[in-house]
Amino acid sequence: MDLELLSQILIIIGIDIVLGGDNAIVIALACRNLPVDKRNKAILLGTGLAIIVRIALTIIAVYLLMIPFLQLVGGLFLIYIAYNLLTEDGDDVNKIRGGTTLFQAVRTIVVADLVMGFDNVLAVAGAAGGKIILVVAGLLISIPIIVWGSKIILKFMERFPIIIYIGAGILALTAGKMITHEERIQPFLETYSFSYYIIPLITIVFVLLAGLIKKTSTK
C-alpha cells in the first residue's frame, strides 16, 4: 500500500471518528425506552442500516463532486462545517427522541444519522478523491470504532479539546484539497503551482483562527 493511499484512508477514518462522535449518544437516546432484550437488536439493525445508507450517499456524493464547480462549492461548504465543529454546542443531539418500539428506535437511529451525517458524507467524499473503495474501507473500519468506542472518544474530546482542533484541521485540509481539485481553476493553479500547497494551508489557518476567535469571544 503506497503512502498516499494510506494517508487518504487515515484521513477518512479521522473524519468519521471526529464527525461521528455523537453517534453513540444518538443510539443511546433512540433506544432508551426499549426493553433491555430489544436494545441490542435496535442497535445492530439501526447501525447496520445507517452504514448502508451512508455508504450509498457517500458514493453518490463522490460522483456529484465530479460536476463542474461542485468541488469548489463543496470545499467552501466543508470550511463552514469545520468552523461549526469548533463552535457548535451539540444541542441537536439532545433533541433526539427515544422510540418505544423496535421499529421506532431503528427509524430514529437511521434518520438521525442521515440528518447529522451530511457533513460526514461530504467530507469523506472529498477526502476519497473519487476512489469508491476508500469510502467503503474507511467507513467499515471507522463505524465499529464509532459505535462501540465513541463514548470514550467523546470523553477524550471533552478532556482534551485539542482533539477537536485536530479534527477541524483535517476537515480544513480536505476542503483545501477539494478546492485545488476543481478542474475549472486548474489553469490558474498550474500558473502558480505553489497554490496547491498554499490553499490547503490557508484553509487550515483560517478555520482554526476563526473558531478560536469565536470561542474566546463567546466566553
Side-chain angles (χ1 to χ4, degrees):
M1 183 181 293
D2 61 77
L3 187 60
E4 183 180 356
L5 185 63
L6 179 61
S7 65
Q8 282 182 297
I9 292 176
L10 290 176
I11 286 174
I12 290 173
I13 292 172
I15 289 170
D16 283 327
I17 291 174
V18 171
L19 291 182
D22 290 335
N23 285 55
I25 296 177
V26 170
I27 292 170
L29 290 173
C31 301
R32 68 183 183 275
N33 295 328
L34 289 178
V36 176
D37 61 325
K38 289 186 178 180
R39 285 180 186 173
N40 287 337
K41 289 183 180 178
I43 291 172
L44 291 175
L45 282 173
T47 305
L49 288 173
I51 291 171
I52 292 170
V53 172
R54 185 174 290 196
I55 288 175
L57 288 177
T58 308
I59 291 172
I60 292 171
V62 166
Y63 286 111
L64 287 178
L65 288 175
M66 295 178 184
I67 298 173
F69 290 115
L70 274 186
Q71 285 271 24
L72 177 61
V73 173
L76 294 174
F77 187 63
L78 197 53
I79 291 174
Y80 173 73
I81 291 172
Y83 170 77
N84 270 355
L85 177 65
L86 294 177
T87 58
E88 66 185 1
D89 55 15
D91 285 343
D92 290 342
V93 175
N94 297 320
K95 296 176 183 177
I96 303 297
R97 295 180 179 179
T100 55
T101 67
L102 181 64
F103 173 77
Q104 288 176 340
V106 170
R107 182 185 60 190
T108 299
I109 292 171
V110 174
V111 172
D113 185 78
L114 276 175
V115 174
M116 297 172 61
F118 176 73
D119 51 0
N120 187 292
V121 166
L122 179 61
V124 170
K131 299 174 183 175
I132 305 300
I133 189 66
L134 292 183
V135 173
V136 178
L139 284 171
L140 290 179
I141 294 171
S142 57
I143 291 295
I145 298 174
I146 293 169
V147 172
W148 305 115
S150 54
K151 289 183 179 179
I152 298 172
I153 293 168
L154 286 169
K155 287 181 181 178
F156 270 100
M157 286 181 176
E158 291 173 0
R159 188 172 179 182
F160 305 105
I162 188 67
I163 296 175
I164 299 294
Y165 284 89
I166 292 172
I170 291 174
L171 290 178
L173 174 64
T174 302
K177 287 185 174 181
M178 286 175 69
I179 293 171
T180 60
H181 287 163
E182 175 55 59
E183 290 187 8
R184 297 302 177 94
I185 63 172
Q186 287 302 312
F188 171 81
L189 296 177
E190 288 171 1
T191 303
Y192 304 97
S193 57
F194 58 85
S195 299
Y196 287 101
Y197 306 99
I198 294 298
I199 290 176
L201 181 61
I202 289 174
T203 58
I204 293 172
V205 173
F206 172 77
V207 166
L208 294 181
L209 279 180
L212 188 61
I213 291 170
K214 173 68 174 179
K215 287 181 77 71
T216 53
S217 64
T218 54
K219 286 183 179 180

